[in-house]
Amino acid sequence: MIQGLSQILVGLDSFTRMVSVSYTVLVLNELIMVAMEVTTWHWVMIASILGTAGIYFGSLPFLGEYFDLAYLMSLAFWWKLVVVAAISLVPPYAFKILGRTLRPPSYRKVSGV
């Protein structure tokens, strides 16, 4: 879904722009999906997620061969990033809610929620 939406929104004429959007969405998507699975937050988990995001975004200036760095600062990049990320997160989130509804965890059964 990420790759296809990136190709549709960016187009095939600029490979580095498509890579910029799709890979950034992939990293953010994985971090958000990890955060969705955490039930008990600990400072180590928060530091790990924020540290991973920081390392990724901190490394972007050194990846000019693979990413269109000027494009990363444009509004076009950011709105495409948000659209692709939002659409790509709908299926996992929907399945998670459906799974919790059909087979609620034990703590929800006990609390009657």
Side-chain angles (χ1 to χ4, degrees):
M1 184 170 289
I2 293 171
Q3 187 66 35
L5 288 171
S6 296
Q7 286 179 346
I8 291 168
L9 290 178
V10 176
L12 296 174
D13 56 331
S14 179
F15 181 74
T16 56
R17 287 183 178 190
M18 187 186 62
V19 169
S20 300
V21 172
S22 63
Y23 194 73
T24 303
V25 169
L26 178 66
V27 171
L28 291 177
N29 192 324
E30 292 302 320
L31 291 175
I32 291 169
M33 287 176 62
V34 166
M36 284 177 20
E37 292 298 321
V38 174
T39 55
T40 305
W41 285 90
H42 190 267
W43 71 268
V44 174
M45 182 56 75
I46 295 168
S48 297
I49 290 173
L50 293 177
T52 301
I55 289 170
Y56 174 70
F57 285 105
S59 68
L60 287 177
F62 305 104
L63 299 173
E65 183 177 334
Y66 305 104
F67 292 88
D68 184 353
L69 299 179
Y71 183 64
L72 292 176
M73 297 301 168
S74 70
L75 183 61
F77 169 78
W78 289 101
W79 77 260
K80 290 172 186 174
L81 177 86
V82 169
V83 168
V84 174
I87 292 172
S88 66
L89 283 169
V90 168
Y93 191 67
F95 283 122
K96 183 175 181 72
I97 292 197
L98 183 65
R100 283 187 178 175
T101 303
L102 296 176
R103 291 182 298 160
S106 299
Y107 69 88
R108 290 190 69 200
K109 291 177 187 176
V110 171
S111 66
V113 177

